[in-house]
Amino acid sequence: LPNIFEKFISYQINNNSFYTPDKDCLAVIEKYDQIIQEEAERLGLNETILEIDCSVEGDELISLTEKVRTTESAFGYLIADSMYDMYKGDYDIDLAIINGGFIRGDRSYKHGDTLSLLDLHIEIPFPKSCVLIEILGSDLWNAVEQELRFMPSPSGAFPHFSNGVEITYNPLNKNNKLQSFKLNHNDIQPDQTYKIAITNFMFEGGDAITSFTKGTLIIDNGKIIDAVISYCKTIKKFDPILQYRAVAI
């Protein structure tokens, strides 16, 4: 009968590191890795555009899947700050948010490592746009609450924020996980409007984050990968020190 049953799609990340790699599969992977490297060379994608410069010994720039889907990461900072930078010159932008599922490299970079154009395309494989929207503080709060709803389990919706944002959240709460939300040390006001940069995927309700759809589109200024490349070429070096923009309590 119609309208009686609802379908829910979920996933679970399983650890398979203890399995012995299949030799035939490895041979296929190596073959296509070689093809990718040859194409990267032909297209000029091996150009280095960012150096990892750690001020704290032992720090790394991490895009590991389980990390970016469960807690804040400096790689999330890098992308969110790039999105913010895309609009800060011409628009009175307040903040940017990127979801952890957007980051796909599953890597770590140590002090002295570099990122090439190819590395960034591997980290950011989706050709999604960075849109600027205007949204009420109450809807912004609800959107972040929705992004946190799967905590403490890994989720591609987990939010990473641009500089100036500070949130606290309780991952063990069944509801009301978001405890505080500040911008430049000031509480987000429910009746105030904010200009935020997000992916067009999130603006269209991706990952079931419906509250972002209540915002109003201001402009679509291009792809996120292009924003990150431009930002990396500008800053040249990046220190992956944690800044505690999203803190579990």
Side-chain angles (χ1 to χ4, degrees):
L1 295 175
N3 303 321
I4 291 181
F5 299 101
E6 290 185 82
K7 293 182 179 180
F8 296 92
I9 299 175
S10 64
Y11 71 94
Q12 179 177 338
I13 298 175
N14 294 315
N15 181 9
N16 61 2
S17 61
F18 51 84
Y19 286 105
T20 301
D22 182 86
K23 292 182 180 179
D24 292 336
C25 286
L26 285 177
V28 173
I29 292 170
E30 290 172 0
K31 171 187 174 181
Y32 284 100
D33 276 346
Q34 181 62 33
I35 293 173
I36 289 172
Q37 290 301 324
E38 291 172 358
E39 281 297 291
E41 186 67 31
R42 184 180 69 83
L43 297 171
L45 295 178
N46 289 329
E47 175 191 355
T48 294
I49 61 171
L50 188 69
E51 179 182 342
I52 310 307
D53 186 19
C54 303
S55 61
V56 177
E57 185 176 355
D59 271 2
E60 297 181 6
L61 179 62
I62 294 173
S63 66
L64 299 175
T65 299
E66 187 167 358
K67 175 77 171 178
V68 298
R69 291 171 180 244
T70 56
T71 187
E72 66 177 333
S73 162
F75 211 102
Y77 298 166
L78 180 63
I79 298 179
D81 288 347
S82 299
M83 295 165 65
Y84 180 91
D85 188 73
M86 172 184 268
Y87 287 109
K88 74 174 185 180
D90 299 317
Y91 300 89
D92 191 20
I93 183 174
D94 293 298
L95 61 105
I97 307 174
I98 186 68
N99 56 303
F102 193 78
I103 305 167
R104 293 292 176 134
D106 199 27
R107 298 175 173 186
S108 61
Y109 305 86
K110 298 180 176 60
H111 176 75
D113 285 350
T114 58
L115 269 71
S116 68
L117 288 170
L118 177 60
D119 291 327
L120 287 180
H121 279 281
I122 290 172
E123 294 286 357
I124 309 170
F126 303 121
K128 299 297 183 182
S129 292
C130 178
V131 298
L132 185 69
I133 70 170
E134 190 170 62
I135 190 169
L136 274 174
S138 56
D139 293 326
L140 175 56
W141 177 287
N142 290 335
V144 174
E145 177 69 41
Q146 289 178 323
E147 290 186 299
L148 296 169
R149 72 191 184 280
F150 292 116
M151 295 298 295
S153 299
S155 169
F158 185 87
H160 300 267
F161 300 94
S162 56
N163 192 30
V165 176
E166 302 169 80
I167 75 163
T168 61
Y169 62 96
N170 187 332
L172 301 181
N173 279 2
K174 184 175 181 180
N175 299 301
N176 301 317
K177 294 181 186 290
L178 184 59
Q179 300 294 294
S180 68
F181 191 169
K182 295 180 182 292
L183 175 63
N184 299 322
H185 309 296
N186 297 311
D187 290 330
I188 293 292
Q189 298 300 311
D191 57 351
Q192 182 176 330
T193 57
Y194 295 88
K195 293 179 181 177
I196 69 170
I198 56 175
T199 68
N200 65 313
F201 170 76
M202 300 303 281
F203 180 50
E204 293 164 1
D207 283 337
I209 313 300
T210 57
S211 289
F212 280 135
T213 66
K214 297 179 180 180
T216 302
L217 178 66
I218 297 174
I219 189 172
D220 179 340
N221 222 12
K223 292 182 173 58
I224 293 175
I225 181 64
D226 294 330
V228 177
I229 290 171
S230 176
Y231 185 67
C232 288
K233 287 183 175 181
T234 298
I235 63 174
K236 297 185 176 19
K237 292 184 178 183
F238 183 73
D239 185 352
I241 189 170
L242 284 182
Q243 300 171 14
Y244 304 105
R245 301 181 187 181
V247 178
I249 56 175

